[in-house]
Each structure stands twice: as structure tokens, then as C-alpha cells.
């Protein structure tokens, strides 16, 4: 490859359109140039080991007769031109790798954004498809020191789950009373809505100084 050919190819591959094949072709060209440089250095080596800087005249200033001056000068010129070509190709390889890496990062970021958007849309659709939990009863009063007070129940808490009782199977306060009677000394999971927020409580029906096993008054909500 000549120096002019290398300069002509400096603009390729086009920015943004680089492919793995482009990079492979650039590397092939780089290796070809390196092989040509080595071949010209071998020519210098065959001429009494003359390198790039050794003088081509003897101590008296006459052209050396022990080497082929034409071959040496030609090899030196070729090496200089090929080294320039090599530098240009290496620059192209570096730019192509940078473009490919940048494009891969953009694609990865785009794919992640699309996946996140899809997940958000799916979650939103699921949320819209689920109706919020409906309360079926309300705490009307609580006695201080009672099991209900210790569990963290508060007046006006709206009950959406009381042990096994929920909106779907609640019929009357007798359902709650039955669960309480069969759960004395055992923790019950109670879910309430308090000022628009859901709270999970553990209530243990227990005999205490007051009446009943809970120490609170629960009233049904109109549905």
C-alpha cells in the first residue's frame, strides 16, 4: 500500500456506520503493512546489516562498494512510507473501535430504557387491573391497655383483613367474633387502611382486665 492510498482511506469507514467487518478489514491492512515493513527491513539486514541510519559512504566520502546502494535507499524509502501508512491505519482502527464501542453503549442504554418502560407499562396495567382493597369494618373505639391497643389499632382504622375474614367472605361481625374466639392466645394478621395508607398489624386475642378478648369496638361499613 502506498502512502497516498492510506490517506485516501482515512475517511473510511463512515462515522456511525462502522461494523465488525470494517474493523477486521482494517486489521488485515495493518498486518499487511507490517509484513511489508518487515520485508524491507530484511532487505537492509541482507545488505551487511545496514539499518535506517548507517552512512552509505566510506571514511573517505566515496559510496560504499560493499552494499547495493539502490536496494538500501529503496528499502529505506519504502519503510518510511509504510510506517506513515501504518500510523494512519492504526488511527482508523482506534476510531472505528471507539465508534463501535460508543454505538454498543447507546444500544445497551436504549435497550435498558425500553425494557424499563415496558416493565413500567406492565406494572401500571396490572395496577389498573387490580381494584384497591375494600374495607368491610371500622374501629369505633379502643380501650387503653387492651390487646387491640397493644397491637397498634387506632380509632377510625378501616379493616380490610382480619385473620381469615376479608371483603369477599365478610357477612357480619359474627365472622370476626368467631375468628377471635378460636384464636385466643394466637396472633392474627390484621390489615387496615389508615389515612389512605395500608398497615399490617399482629393482634393476639387475650384475656385482660377489661371485657372481651380485644378491648375494642368494631362496626361494619356500608357496602
Amino acid at each position: 500500500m502506498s502512502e497516498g492510498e492510506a490517506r485516501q482511506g482515512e475517511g473510511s469507514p463512515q462515522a456511525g456506520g462502522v461494523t465488525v467487518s470494517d474493523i477486521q478489514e482494517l486489521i488485515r491492512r495493518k498486518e499487511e503493512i507490517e509484513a511489508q515493513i518487515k520485508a524491507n527491513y530484511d532487505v537492509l539486514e541482507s545488505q551487511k546489516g545496514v539499518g535506517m541510519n548507517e552512512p552509505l559512504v566510506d571514511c573517505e566520502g566515496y559510496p560504499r562498494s560493499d552494499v547495493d546502494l539502490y536496494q538500501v535507499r529503496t528499502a529505506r524509502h519504502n519503510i518510511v512510507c509504510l510506517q506513515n501508512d501504518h500510523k494512519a491505519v492504526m488511527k482508523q482502527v482506534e476510531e472505528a473501535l471507539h465508534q463501535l464501542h460508543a454505538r454498543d453503549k447507546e444500544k445497551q442504554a436504549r435497550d435498558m430504557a425500553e425494557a424499563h418502560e415496558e416493565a413500567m407499562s406492565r406494572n401500571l396495567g396490572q395496577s389498573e387491573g387490580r381494584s384497591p382493597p375494600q374495607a368491610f369494618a371500622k374501629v369505633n373505639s379502643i380501650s387503653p391497655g387492651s390487646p387491640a391497643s397493644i397491637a397498634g389499632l387506632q380509632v377510625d382504622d378501616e379493616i380490610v383483613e382480619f385473620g381469615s375474614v376479608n371483603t369477599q367472605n365478610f357477612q357480619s361481625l359474627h365472622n370476626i367474633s368467631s375468628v377471635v374466639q378460636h384464636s385466643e392466645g394466637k396472633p392474627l394478621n390484621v390489615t387496615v387502611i389508615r389515612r389512605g395508607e395500608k398497615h399490617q398489624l399482629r393482634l393476639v386475642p387475650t384475656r385482660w382486665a377489661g371485657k372481651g378478648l380485644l378491648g375494642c369496638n368494631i362496626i361494619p361499613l356500608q357496602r
Side-chain angles (χ1 to χ4, degrees):
M1 174 189 293
S2 69
E3 185 177 1
E5 289 174 332
R7 283 199 298 268
Q8 185 179 3
E10 282 187 59
S12 62
Q14 294 296 323
V18 65
T19 65
V20 174
S21 297
D22 294 330
I23 296 176
Q24 290 174 340
E25 174 62 21
L26 288 172
I27 292 175
R28 187 194 66 77
R29 286 164 55 189
K30 176 186 78 73
E31 292 174 346
E32 180 181 310
I33 293 171
E34 290 171 348
Q36 293 179 27
I37 291 174
K38 182 180 183 303
N40 281 277
Y41 269 114
D42 289 343
V43 171
L44 296 182
E45 183 64 27
S46 69
Q47 296 295 318
K48 305 290 184 179
V50 173
M52 293 293 291
N53 301 312
E54 282 80 0
L56 298 182
V57 294
D58 57 24
C59 58
E60 296 180 358
Y62 292 100
R64 290 177 57 174
S65 59
D66 59 332
V67 296
D68 187 327
L69 297 180
Y70 175 78
Q71 277 196 349
V72 171
R73 289 194 180 100
T74 300
R76 286 180 174 181
H77 175 75
N78 288 343
I79 288 171
V80 171
C81 293
L82 288 166
Q83 286 176 338
N84 289 335
D85 291 349
H86 186 267
K87 182 178 180 181
V89 171
M90 288 300 296
K91 182 179 179 182
Q92 291 181 50
V93 171
E94 181 180 355
E95 291 175 350
L97 288 172
H98 178 74
Q99 291 175 23
L100 189 64
H101 180 65
R103 193 175 62 192
D104 287 345
K105 285 184 67 176
E106 290 176 2
K107 183 178 183 301
Q108 184 180 12
R110 186 166 59 250
D111 290 345
M112 289 182 64
E114 290 175 357
H116 179 70
E117 183 178 350
E118 181 181 348
M120 291 292 290
S121 299
R122 184 166 57 249
N123 291 338
L124 180 61
Q126 292 175 350
S127 298
E128 290 176 347
R130 284 198 305 266
S131 58
Q134 298 295 318
F136 57 84
K138 178 180 178 180
V139 178
N140 192 42
S141 65
I142 297 178
S143 300
S146 64
S149 176
I150 294 172
L153 276 175
Q154 297 181 11
V155 174
D156 292 333
D157 279 353
E158 295 184 348
I159 300 173
V160 297
E161 183 181 16
F162 194 102
S164 60
V165 182
N166 53 46
T167 304
Q168 282 70 36
N169 59 25
F170 175 76
Q171 295 178 343
S172 68
L173 293 178
H174 176 73
N175 301 125
I176 295 178
S177 176
S178 177
V179 169
V180 171
Q181 294 298 324
H182 288 86
S183 302
E184 182 177 351
K186 302 175 184 177
L188 291 172
N189 291 322
V190 178
T191 305
V192 301
I193 300 297
R194 180 182 302 159
R195 291 184 288 277
E197 295 183 356
K198 182 188 290 188
H199 294 268
Q200 300 281 351
L201 306 175
R202 289 178 69 81
L203 172 59
V204 181
T206 310
R207 297 187 182 277
W208 63 296
K211 294 182 179 180
L213 298 175
L214 299 182
C216 68
N217 182 34
I218 298 174
I219 60 175
L221 291 175
Q222 297 295 329
R223 292 185 295 172

